[in-house]
Amino acid sequence: MSKKLFIETLGCAMNSRDSEHMIAELHEKEGYETTTELEHADLILINTCSVREKPVHKLFSELGGFNKRKKEGAKIGVCGCTASHLGEEIIKRAPYVNFVLGARNVSKISEVLHKDKAVEIDINYDESEFAFKDFRSSPYKAYINISIGCDKSCTFCIVPKTRGEEISIPADLILKETKKVVNEGVKEIFLLGQNVNNYGRRFSGEHEKVNFTQLLQKLSAVDGLERIRFTSPHPFHMDDAFIEEFAHNPKICKSMHMPLQSGSTKVLRDMKRGYTKEWFLNRVKKLRQECPEVSISTDIIVAFPGESEADFEDTIDVVKQVQFDQIFSFKYSPRPQTEAEHFTNVVDSEVGSERLSYLQELQNSILDELHQKCLGKTYRVYFESLIKDNFISGRSDNNIVIKVKGSEELLGQFRDVKITEIGRTMLTGEIVA
Ligand code: 5AD
Ligand code: SF4
């Protein structure tokens, strides 16, 4: 009987891809198959996120639960960003943990598996020339890493400390991987990096200098590939050439993530984001001029140290002006090893919660209006998942999740769908062509 792996993945798309990679490594080198039953597992992995404090707190109670439920002799490994930043401390606090594997070291999974109490958390480890393994959780779309690490120094963010300096993966490797997955039937790729439009600034060896816009051009020439998505771009690097390529290249999906973080130029400066409120609004204007159908999503942090009522009003002003299609909003959470951890002009926690609720309510009302406008419109949907009650769901080019009545023969297919019903997270429609 094969050995069983239970893996829980928290955090961002980068982590999902890292988990896919570890599953493939463990399958190929160690003969593991995945299981969803923790009690059956020989190996339990948690791929953690450390971007905010709450999930880190939860980690230890979750580990305790896993330790009680696991079968005799099963190993527990903690991987990902919290592994990078807490390292050995994890084993000190939870001595039954067998190994700790940082976010930049996931390709060493089969090595650490055989070393009890191993802690591999080198953030300078270079995985950029390493072709990530093949296992993919979806046969219809493929996540493809284009860079690792992050060179920015946003004062709130722990990621440069957990994933290290930014290195781009050579374009020929990315192209090869894309062709391979397309040959296997994938029609949509999702390019991943902490800061995708900074692609090409640094390679680890001698490689063809290709920037992100050029990479998009190269990839879109791959026959059989129909859709390209990517996350996350940085507003600071959204030059005209990039926006024009995005708008006019028919294979690039018209959905842009533009992490605002704050609408106040003063707060943006304290966050070291490198742009102003005006620059952000100017980029949105250019984007909408070139590509009127684009949907724009964003990340916003409220109650960053020093955020006054007027600063928060600036954020609200940007939200009202831009009318984002989706906002991921967070209350600021101080993180170790970041500059802002030492800022003393802390915003009262209750004020932070009020600001967060206000922003989320405003966004809900904006969304209701935006969705009303979708009624009766037709979108090209790529179907990816079966969901309950005989529905099947997929995404439009501009990233709206849409469901229709249907079964598995629609999986991996494109159809035109007319919207008949709206909901907050998903729209319902019927196939028209
Ligand atoms: N506190 C709250 N939110 C944060 N993010 C990153 N660091 C923090 C923090 N310390 C948010 C940012 C980022 C998203 C992935 O998480 O908005 O874009
Ligand atoms: Fe992803 Fe950042 Fe969380 Fe790491 S800390 S899993 S990079 S969101």
Side-chain angles (χ1 to χ4, degrees), residues 180-229:
K180 183 163 188 299
V181 297
V182 169
N183 270 336
E184 287 162 2
V186 162
K187 294 183 187 129
E188 178 174 309
I189 58 168
F190 208 129
L191 306 176
L192 298 179
Q194 227 54 60
N195 198 348
V196 284
N197 51 345
N198 196 33
Y199 178 81
R201 292 294 158 96
R202 189 191 307 123
F203 295 98
S204 79
E206 281 298 308
H207 291 285
E208 186 193 2
K209 278 272 168 203
V210 176
N211 67 25
F212 188 55
T213 305
Q214 292 161 333
L215 179 71
L216 290 172
Q217 289 162 346
K218 274 179 185 283
L219 295 177
S220 58
V222 172
D223 274 343
L225 176 64
E226 305 213 22
R227 282 182 166 186
I228 303 175
R229 297 187 192 275

Side-chain angles (χ1 to χ4, degrees), residues 9 43 56 108 178 230 248 257 323 327 397:
T9 307
L43 174 61
V56 178
K108 294 185 176 171
T178 302
F230 52 81
H248 305 299
H257 189 58
Q323 304 267 304
I327 300 183
D397 180 282

Side-chain angles (χ1 to χ4, degrees), residues 121-133:
I121 52 170
D122 177 6
I123 58 166
N124 296 311
Y125 185 62
D126 184 4
E127 293 188 322
S128 66
E129 313 237 355
F130 177 88
F132 267 31
K133 283 279 162 19

